[in-house]
Amino acid sequence: MVACDSYLELNPKDSIIDEDAFKSIEDVQEGMIGVYATLNTQAMVAISSRASDDVRLSEQNRGQGIANHNWEFTSSNGEFYTMWMYMYHAIDRANRMIEISKAFDAEDVRIKQVIGECLFIRAYCHSELLRGYCDNLNGDSDLGIPYMKQSQIGQPQRANQAAIYADIHADLAEAINLMSGDFVSNTANKIAAHALRARVAIYQQNYDLAIEAASEVIDNSGFTLADTSEVNDVWNDVFELDEKIEVLFKRSRVENESALGNIYIDPANGEIYFSPSHDLMNQYTNDDYRKDAYFGLNSQGNDVVAKHDGKGVGPNIVDEKILRLSEQYLIRAEAYIMKNMMTEAKQDLDLLRKCRIENPVPVPIGDQTAMMKALQDERRREMPYEGHRFIDLRRWGQGIKRLPEDSELASGVELPAGDYRFIFPIPQNEMFANDNMVQNKGYN
């Protein structure tokens, strides 16, 4: 046995242990590439788009996403597992980098930045899991998700939502404290951390915090909304990474990577999997610049989703916009409405519309119900195909009823408000591996 010790202590030839891989702060900084590489929002965009009322099934579809479009949700569905896996994989890498960074000077600004970026990514991924796999979203439920603060193999239980929100806000507060004020849109930054605080707060129904965090971004970041002449540029990735126009945080995409546009169109032959719904396209006036940016026609004259159709490096490849300034205006307006601050809400909605529409009609001040309807309609027009619509309908207590012309090829026509399928099933792989995991109701 002793004679074998030297062999047993050899490291695998196809891997590098952390002590050898991260010998300098520069190594740690380069290690962040691996964290960002795992960050992936595509599964949420795919599920939310296909399951919402923003698309209609194409006759060219060969099975891609049809089950989710018809709300035939099961725990064995691959997209639910993909989202769960990628989010926890990114969390694990972030946790590993935080632990590795502890071996270096804690006061070095580069180490602070790395830890801050990892805390932001950890908070973001947990917030995505929370809104996908948890009920209510206001923090009153015991069925949250496991909040992983270290890299380990185990069988964690689902924490209650209040604890999850507390952990997310704690991670973001520390990230803001640690990160520098430098900005590039494809790297976690202070501005993005404040924006994520606002998003989480509006889900949590913490309207004061939503206003505070969104106002920090809107009023103090130096960011501007893309105007009518720049709307297309946002989705064609024209702006430089350090330009403070519209995009607060994104994941850069390059050739040969999986592409957002592939959700809707086959990159090889142009066949359409899902077309934009008539219901959504009817929401835009002809002088709304988003209409041409978000929708188009292919060579056969068929409607296509153009929002993610590519930036020139390959078919359907476009950077994943994770946080945008317009969302902050919508979050703040929604919070204002819920606090009966209608004049302030109107100002935010009018400003956004002025940057999107040639001759916008001002939003009339009404009661809370009327103002929420205006907010919800504008949010739908601004943010389709970004992973929000399906979740928004759920948190607003609304169902889905597709128009006849949008459901000619689909068996899914109506999903009632409050239906259990507005919450994703915990993937079967997780249920098999974790004896402590509790499945969401309706999927047992």
Side-chain angles (χ1 to χ4, degrees):
M1 187 68 177
V2 174
C4 295
D5 283 352
S6 61
Y7 292 97
L8 295 173
E9 290 170 2
L10 288 175
N11 297 320
K13 296 183 184 299
D14 61 349
S15 65
I16 303 174
I17 61 174
D18 290 345
E19 300 94 280
D20 294 336
F22 301 100
K23 292 184 176 181
S24 68
I25 293 177
E26 290 76 16
D27 291 337
V28 176
Q29 290 176 305
E30 291 182 7
M32 287 301 298
I33 297 173
V35 180
Y36 285 108
T38 313
L39 190 62
N40 192 323
T41 66
Q42 187 163 331
M44 176 60 95
V45 173
I47 296 168
S48 181
S49 295
R50 291 166 176 167
S52 75
D53 49 1
D54 284 348
V55 298
R56 53 190 161 96
L57 187 61
S58 167
E59 61 183 10
Q60 296 173 341
N61 189 299
R62 300 184 300 276
Q64 296 86 352
I66 290 180
N68 284 348
H69 185 62
N70 291 329
W71 309 305
E72 296 168 357
F73 292 175
T74 66
S75 59
S76 59
N77 184 301
E79 286 184 332
F80 297 120
Y81 173 68
T82 296
M83 179 179 167
W84 183 274
M85 175 192 68
Y86 269 112
M87 289 300 167
Y88 275 118
H89 195 180
I91 290 167
D92 184 71
R93 287 194 177 183
N95 284 333
R96 290 176 62 191
M97 290 305 300
I98 291 171
E99 191 63 31
I100 288 165
S101 297
K102 292 178 181 178
F104 298 88
D105 181 4
E107 297 303 313
D108 191 291
V109 294
R110 296 168 294 177
I111 290 298
K112 287 183 177 181
Q113 180 68 25
V114 165
I115 296 175
E117 291 178 29
C118 287
L119 289 169
F120 170 86
I121 291 170
R122 187 167 80 182
Y124 167 74
C125 291
H126 280 109
S127 72
E128 287 292 281
L129 291 162
L130 181 65
R131 70 179 184 146
Y133 297 92
C134 301
D135 62 0
N136 297 331
L137 296 182
N138 59 9
D140 291 340
S141 173
D142 286 335
L143 282 181
I145 41 130
Y147 202 98
M148 305 303 295
K149 297 181 181 180
Q150 56 185 349
S151 176
Q152 62 181 18
I153 298 174
Q155 294 190 336
Q157 296 179 332
R158 299 181 69 169
N160 68 69
Q161 285 186 21
I164 300 301
Y165 279 120
D167 283 333
I168 290 172
H169 286 303
D171 276 352
L172 290 175
E174 188 175 356
I176 290 168
N177 183 56
L178 290 172
M179 288 190 288
S180 73
D182 296 338
F183 171 79
V184 287
S185 58
N186 66 345
T187 302
N189 57 80
K190 284 180 181 286
I191 301 169
H194 284 295
L196 184 55
R197 287 176 68 224
R199 178 189 288 179
V200 171
I202 203 67
Y203 277 59
Q204 196 178 3
Q205 298 178 12
N206 186 338
Y207 302 121
D208 289 328
L209 179 57
I211 292 170
E212 173 195 318
S215 295
E216 179 66 30
V217 178
I218 293 168
D219 300 333
N220 300 325
S221 69
F223 255 83
T224 59
L225 289 165
D227 62 28
T228 53
S229 67
E230 297 171 320
V231 172
N232 253 316
D233 294 340
V234 171
W235 303 102
N236 290 329
D237 297 316
V238 169
F239 300 116
E240 299 295 331
L241 294 177
D242 60 352
E243 286 190 81
K244 291 187 173 183
I245 302 175
E246 194 68 49
V247 180
L248 310 173
F249 177 58
K250 68 179 183 178
R251 180 171 184 258
S252 294
R253 287 295 203 175
V254 297
E255 192 172 3
N256 298 322
E257 282 196 283
S258 180
L260 279 176
N262 292 356
I263 297 168
Y264 315 98
I265 302 172
D266 189 320
N269 57 26
E271 289 186 346
I272 301 170
Y273 301 146
F274 290 94
S275 299
S277 69
H278 294 290
D279 187 22
L280 176 61
M281 291 190 293
N282 291 342
Q283 304 299 315
Y284 299 83
T285 56
N286 288 332
D287 61 348
D288 192 324
Y289 283 75
R290 293 171 294 196
K291 189 172 184 179
D292 287 338
Y294 296 176
F295 315 116
L297 297 173
N298 67 6
S299 58
Q300 288 79 44
N302 298 314
D303 296 317
V304 294
V305 175
K307 197 172 192 179
H308 306 305
D309 64 357
K311 60 178 183 177
V313 298
N316 297 340
I317 296 175
V318 66
D319 293 347
E320 296 175 6
K321 285 76 173 177
I322 296 173
L323 291 159
R324 294 198 292 121
L325 183 61
S326 60
E327 182 190 4
Q328 299 301 298
Y329 278 94
L330 291 163
I331 287 171
R332 191 168 73 172
E334 183 174 345
Y336 280 147
I337 292 167
M338 297 307 296
K339 290 176 65 66
N340 287 306
M341 301 170 67
M342 303 309 178
T343 300
E344 292 83 351
K346 169 184 167 60
Q347 290 172 346
D348 280 349
L349 290 174
D350 282 346
L351 179 58
L352 176 58
R353 288 171 58 78
K354 183 179 178 181
C355 293
R356 300 294 187 258
I357 304 170
E358 187 69 36
N359 297 298
V361 176
V363 174
I365 292 182
D367 61 16
Q368 191 175 72
T369 299
M371 291 294 286
M372 270 302 292
K373 178 65 165 59
L375 177 281
Q376 291 163 354
D377 289 347
E378 200 60 49
R379 185 173 169 98
R380 185 185 187 190
R381 283 188 288 267
E382 177 64 21
M383 304 184 70
Y385 315 125
E386 296 181 57
H388 301 290
R389 177 63 177 169
F390 190 69
I391 308 297
D392 283 343
L393 289 170
R394 170 184 150 208
R395 68 185 182 89
W396 290 331
Q398 298 179 6
I400 297 174
K401 187 171 184 179
R402 292 173 176 145
L403 298 179
E405 58 266 39
D406 289 330
S407 52
E408 292 175 347
L409 301 175
S411 59
V413 177
E414 184 171 4
L415 188 67
D419 191 283
Y420 74 91
R421 287 167 292 181
F422 272 106
I423 305 165
F424 303 162
I426 303 298
Q428 192 60 53
N429 304 61
E430 179 69 22
M431 297 301 299
F432 284 146
N434 186 350
D435 291 338
N436 293 320
M437 184 56 60
V438 177
Q439 181 59 273
N440 286 324
K441 63 181 180 180
Y443 296 108
N444 289 321

